[in-house]
Amino acid sequence: MRWLAFSTISLLCCAGAPADGRTPAPAASVAAPTAASGSPLFDRLLGSWDVTYEIHDKDGKLRTYHGQVTYSWILDGAAMQEIWTSDSLDGTPNPYGTAIGFHDAKHQRWTLVWIYPAQGSTLVVNGDDAEGGYTLTGRDADGAIQRWAIDDVQTDTFTSRFESSADDGRTWRLLGVNHMQRHRA
């Protein structure tokens, strides 16, 4: 899965998620964002979300997983951290990846770094708000364009899509869709 060089969501899938029973560490500082945060959209993502991951394999097979993601402001609100988990067989969330994003005031865009230790990979994507959501793009280790989009953000739900293009954006292959529901304790 080439896109898993980034994350099988964003972001994002659980195919390589660890199943060693670890639980996520408590979120770091959830400080109020500063003016550097740059987007009210990201404020709306704060908190914990239950995720249904739909992963589309190259052969067209659809795999479904469940997990959680937590969004929190870090560095006194200058950056946002996402911690992605997948549920183990007993339903315990197992962290497998993280992303740290910030509003780059110099370039007037969001920059996000995805870190996926199990695959030994990172990916940098950039973008901005787009009609109530956002779209971030970057190139993976193989040179394919990765496109991550969050849209239809409501108070308690949103959807994120992950696509890849090996031909400089002429065609796109859907890699995954994350259906997010705000976590209820």
Side-chain angles (χ1 to χ4, degrees):
M1 286 185 223
R2 181 180 12 202
W3 107 284
L4 220 125
F6 117 66
S7 142
T8 282
I9 123 101
S10 247
L11 178 231
L12 301 205
C13 156
C14 357
D20 61 4
R22 293 177 293 154
T23 56
S29 162
V30 185
T34 64
S37 66
S39 173
L41 170 64
F42 287 90
D43 291 339
R44 293 174 29 204
L45 299 180
L46 290 174
S48 294
W49 298 81
D50 295 320
V51 184
T52 299
Y53 302 101
E54 293 178 354
I55 307 307
H56 298 263
D57 290 338
K58 286 183 180 181
D59 63 3
K61 181 181 175 188
L62 177 66
R63 293 180 291 127
T64 302
Y65 298 91
H66 298 278
Q68 286 188 339
V69 62
T70 301
Y71 294 88
S72 59
W73 289 113
I74 61 172
L75 303 174
D76 292 327
M80 177 174 275
Q81 181 172 20
E82 306 168 21
I83 299 176
W84 291 83
T85 69
S86 65
D87 290 347
S88 64
L89 295 177
D90 68 0
T92 304
N94 294 303
Y96 68 89
T98 191
I100 296 178
F102 68 99
H103 187 259
D104 178 350
K106 179 179 179 181
H107 297 100
Q108 289 300 302
R109 66 182 182 205
W110 271 86
T111 297
L112 184 121
V113 179
W114 169 254
I115 303 164
Y116 190 24
Q119 295 289 318
S121 66
T122 58
L123 179 68
V124 177
V125 290
N126 299 289
D128 210 346
D129 295 4
E131 298 179 27
Y134 74 82
T135 300
L136 303 174
T137 59
R139 292 197 182 262
D140 66 18
D142 295 328
I145 301 172
Q146 299 295 316
R147 179 168 63 189
W148 304 355
I150 285 183
D151 57 20
D152 196 27
V153 179
Q154 305 297 316
T155 302
D156 293 326
T157 62
F158 70 90
T159 303
S160 59
R161 297 174 53 85
F162 307 93
E163 301 171 296
S164 180
S165 175
D167 59 10
D168 287 326
R170 288 185 290 282
T171 61
W172 293 91
R173 183 173 79 80
L174 180 63
L175 303 171
V177 177
N178 296 338
H179 300 278
M180 314 291 272
Q181 176 76 41
R182 190 168 296 280
H183 182 72
R184 303 270 186 236

